[in-house]
Amino acid sequence: MNNAFWHRLDRATRHVAPFVITVMLVVLNAIPLPVPDYRSIVPLVPLMAIYYWALYRPDLMPIGAVFLVGVLEDVLTGAPLGLNALLFLLVHSLVRSRRRMIAGKGFAVAWVVFMLVILGAGIVSWLVASLLYDAPIRMEPAVIQLTLTLVLYPCLAWLLIRVQRAFLANA
Amino acid sequence: MRYRAGSIIRFATPVRAAAQRFAFLALLFLSAGMIILGRADAQFAERVRTTITDGFAPVLDALSRPAATVRDMIDYVHQLAALRVENDRLREENERLRGWQQIARDLEAESNSLRSMLNYVPPSSRQFVSARVISDSSTAYVRSVIVNVGDDQGVRKGQAAVDGSGLAGRVTEVGHRSARVLLLTDINSRIPIIIESTRYPAILMGDNSERPKLRFLPVEASPQPGDRIVTSGHGGIFPPGLPVGVVATVATGEVRILPYVNFDRLEYLRLVDFGTDAPLPSVTARTPARP
């Protein structure tokens, strides 16, 4: 009985790991860093995490969690409330429904698809932000941001693979 | 047994899929609704934001300290290297400033004597709340920071945020122990200013670039690069005379400002309580007594 309780607790902890890690990434992403003009080009780390989990462990990242992560990202970054929540939901469901076509094909394919995904996400968020502010917003920072996000994706994926192997190998 | 489990799964899978689909659509509409509601009813979005930000403020506060420490250490090494040059520069600057100090004293005396002739009512005293920047929460679309003080410390919406060099922005959202400062480079930022030397008024409009532009500047103003820009105090939110920046470029129909504040290195901000709730000076006190 006691044993079973610990076993269940262990399983539960492992199952929320992707969500907790993603929330941690959102918070860490909002910390001020002493890099010139860092603010406008800070890579979209949360989006990388959403993509990663949707691709490899969608069972551990329910859409409710995706939504919460998006709202938190909106609040901490000061983006229009709901914008990132909407984006993350779209990315999550899109990747999830096509994951059989991507997941088994090796990392290069996953990376290329990630490029398409953030391109789409970038266009949608730029359009929504421009509509909300009634003015076309400068594109350069967004372009740099997306490029940086794309380049840094393998680093985060590497990190998340470690996490997945360490905690979730048999979860 | 086996058969039963299989039938349950066969039955459960479509139900689960349908529930998933429904949840997805519901959340999708909820997000879209939040965007629209946030636009229509700013107060709602603000309440949600400040509540969540308040909750995360201690975490951000704790996490931003190591980042600040690393930055300080890097600065320290840089400073050691540049100590001699810096020293010479400062000595020179000191000489120059001593001259200015003399001028300032003369002007202060002159200004005091002129004021005493005019029965001038001095502006109400300002109070500062010092705050640490705990989140550099800007994206490609928004320029703002979160600071670690809120209405518990007397922070109010609309207060000006300054650092040592000049105006950084204005408080737009206030929680109990956190507040958001909209930087003057943000696309939503509008600040009434004047050109210091010529006293022409204009509105400083952010556009998410490093150099916000001037709008509604009178045509005859003809600003020159290097002209100082200060807050005008119009609208009564900001105290007049806060340094904002200098004119950087003057192109046809577009004047851009280089702010004094270095937005890449915001660490501490002072939120200025201009005492707008202080009683306005009465009219009789202003009118000089007739002989």
Side-chain angles (χ1 to χ4, degrees), chain A residues 47 58 105 119 122 159 163 165 167:
Chain A
L47 190 62
K105 299 267 167 57
L119 195 67
L159 201 78
V163 171
R165 286 198 186 139
F167 290 110

Side-chain angles (χ1 to χ4, degrees), chain B residues 103-116:
Chain B
I103 294 170
R105 286 215 175 113
D106 291 350
L107 285 175
E108 192 188 10
E110 187 182 331
S111 164
N112 278 343
S113 68
L114 290 173
R115 276 178 188 172
S116 65

